[in-house]
């Protein structure tokens, strides 16, 4: 499946850079766009996943696309300055008729093109809380018009898109989308292959919700299900289980240290992510969130 490891590595490093911006600025995932981005230079490419499902890689979260005779079901939209070019790429692999655009969660690297696609007449679909948070961010004209609090199904392309709200994990508006016939799940950012989990507590994300949501995702997937993460490469159920088990291991270690009254610095010095950093990189943001979630003093 991972046929071009050198390309994959380059992609991973690219996403790691984006994650780095999040860590240092704290705003990239919340909708602010880096002012020095040369948007015209951002490469856009599509990759077939399985059945009707492709994904579009550019800058920001992976865009999922179900393409068929009924048109396109689109998941997430990256950044506004890329919207016209993203539209062009979609037109190149479909009839250009985008029937619905689903937001997996509120963050600007997944919803930054909402206003652009809404202006093209594409209805936006998301959890109720995504609309509430986008409205609070005053993103005029970019709000989902169809919202839900329980799972829904979009029946197009003979590939039902089962849109399922998750417990508050990455944010409190997370949804995953299972294209049932193609057996592909777009996870949004509750699962990623390129970094430790981001638990955005300012947008309602939680540690217990992250563990629960990853368990639900693993339970929903079969051994052959293709898992399309919010950031990173197409993965398997086994990868989700490994990620969930890592979160549980780190949380158990931090919980024991918090129970001893350790400061954050002491917890960090105990290196509870020690064997995981080689794979998932800088743990600081994750560790900070886990420590706070488990009641540690900041
Ligand atoms: Zn996100």
């Amino acid at each position: 499946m991972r046929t071009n490891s050198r390309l994959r590595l380059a992609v991973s490093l690219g996403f790691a850079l984006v994650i780095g911006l999040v860590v240092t600025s704290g705003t990239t995932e919340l909708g602010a766009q880096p002012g020095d981005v040369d948007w015209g230079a951002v490469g856009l490419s599509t990759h077939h996943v399985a059945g009707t499902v492709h994904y579009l890689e550019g800058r920001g979260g992976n865009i999922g696309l179900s393409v068929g005779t009924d048109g396109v079901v689109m998941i997430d939209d990256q950044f506004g300055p890329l919207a016209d070019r993203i539209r062009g790429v979609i037109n190149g692999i479909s009839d250009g008729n985008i029937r619905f655009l689903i937001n997996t969660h509120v963050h600007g690297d997944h919803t930054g093109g909402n206003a652009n696609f809404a202006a093209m007449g594409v209805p936006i679909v998301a959890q109720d809380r995504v609309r509430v948070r986008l409205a609070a961010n005053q993103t005029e004209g970019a709000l989902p018009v169809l919202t839900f609090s329980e799972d829904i199904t979009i029946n197009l392309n003979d590939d039902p898109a089962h849109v399922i709200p998750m417990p508050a994990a990455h944010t409190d508006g997370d949804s995953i989308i299972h294209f049932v016939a193609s057996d592909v799940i777009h996870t949004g950012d509750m699962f990623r292959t390129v970094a430790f989990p981001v638990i955005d507590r300012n947008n309602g994300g939680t540690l217990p919700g992250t563990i629960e949501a990853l368990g639900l995702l693993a339970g929903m997937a079969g051994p052959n299900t293709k898992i399309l993460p919010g950031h990173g490469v197409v993965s398997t159920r086994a990868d989700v289980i490994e990620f969930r088990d890592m979160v549980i291991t780190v949380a158990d270690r931090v919980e024991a240290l918090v129970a001893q009254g350790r400061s954050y610095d002491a917890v960090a010095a105990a290196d509870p992510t020690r064997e995981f950093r080689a794979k998932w990189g800088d743990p600081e943001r994750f560790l900070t969130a886990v420590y706070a979630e488990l009641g540690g003093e900041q």
Side-chain angles (χ1 to χ4, degrees):
M1 186 167 59
R2 294 174 189 183
T3 51
N4 189 335
S5 60
R6 189 173 296 173
L7 175 64
R8 296 295 190 202
L9 178 61
V11 168
S12 297
L13 291 172
F15 280 124
L17 183 60
V18 172
I19 302 299
L21 287 172
V22 171
V23 170
T24 53
S25 72
T27 57
T28 300
E29 283 221 358
L30 308 181
Q33 296 166 4
D36 57 350
V37 173
D38 180 356
W39 295 103
V42 173
L44 303 179
S45 57
T46 58
H47 312 269
H48 183 238
V49 182
T52 72
V53 182
H54 304 245
Y55 77 97
L56 188 155
E57 188 183 351
R59 188 185 179 101
N62 287 328
I63 293 176
L65 300 164
S66 168
V67 177
T69 55
D70 297 326
V72 177
V73 178
M74 178 176 178
I75 303 171
D76 290 343
D77 54 35
Q78 299 188 354
F79 294 101
L82 294 174
D84 286 341
R85 291 177 55 218
I86 288 170
R87 181 67 193 244
V89 171
I90 293 172
N91 289 351
I93 62 166
S94 72
D95 64 4
N97 182 16
I98 303 174
R99 301 288 299 275
F100 292 100
L101 165 58
I102 303 166
N103 290 156
T104 58
H105 65 291
V106 67
H107 286 153
D109 56 333
H110 298 255
T111 62
N114 273 12
N116 309 70
F117 284 96
M120 297 175 203
V122 179
I124 301 174
V125 183
Q127 269 211 58
D128 299 336
R129 283 189 292 270
V130 173
R131 181 183 163 93
V132 170
R133 289 196 181 276
L134 283 171
N137 294 346
Q138 297 180 322
T139 44
E140 190 72 23
L143 301 179
V145 295
L146 176 59
T147 63
F148 57 89
S149 58
E150 298 181 14
D151 57 313
I152 60 170
T153 304
I154 297 174
N155 293 282
L156 294 173
N157 297 334
D158 291 323
D159 195 3
H162 193 194
V163 188
I164 308 158
M166 287 287 106
H170 176 64
T171 70
D172 62 9
D174 299 348
S175 294
I176 66 174
I177 297 90
H178 186 193
F179 291 98
V180 176
S182 298
D183 200 13
V184 177
I185 301 177
H186 190 303
T187 70
D189 279 0
M190 56 167 268
F191 173 67
R192 55 181 73 205
T193 65
V194 295
F196 286 99
V198 173
I199 300 171
D200 180 2
R201 303 177 77 229
N202 290 329
N203 279 303
T206 73
L207 173 63
T210 295
I211 294 169
E212 185 183 355
L214 289 167
L216 288 169
L217 172 60
M220 201 173 302
N224 299 316
T225 302
K226 293 198 164 36
I227 308 286
L228 176 57
H231 299 269
V233 298
V234 175
S235 302
T236 67
R237 179 176 68 180
D239 296 319
V240 173
I241 292 170
E242 179 187 11
F243 192 71
R244 194 244 352 223
D245 289 352
M246 174 271 289
V247 175
I248 291 172
T249 299
V250 173
D252 283 350
R253 290 172 180 167
V254 172
E255 187 171 36
L257 295 165
V258 167
Q260 297 167 16
R262 302 284 185 90
S263 68
Y264 175 78
D265 287 345
V267 169
D271 203 7
T273 59
R274 60 189 83 96
E275 73 270 46
F276 304 123
R277 286 186 278 103
K279 180 160 188 171
W280 286 293
D282 184 346
E284 184 178 352
R285 192 183 193 202
F286 172 59
L287 204 51
T288 302
V290 169
Y291 183 74
E293 282 285 292
L294 292 170
E297 299 294 331
Q298 290 299 304

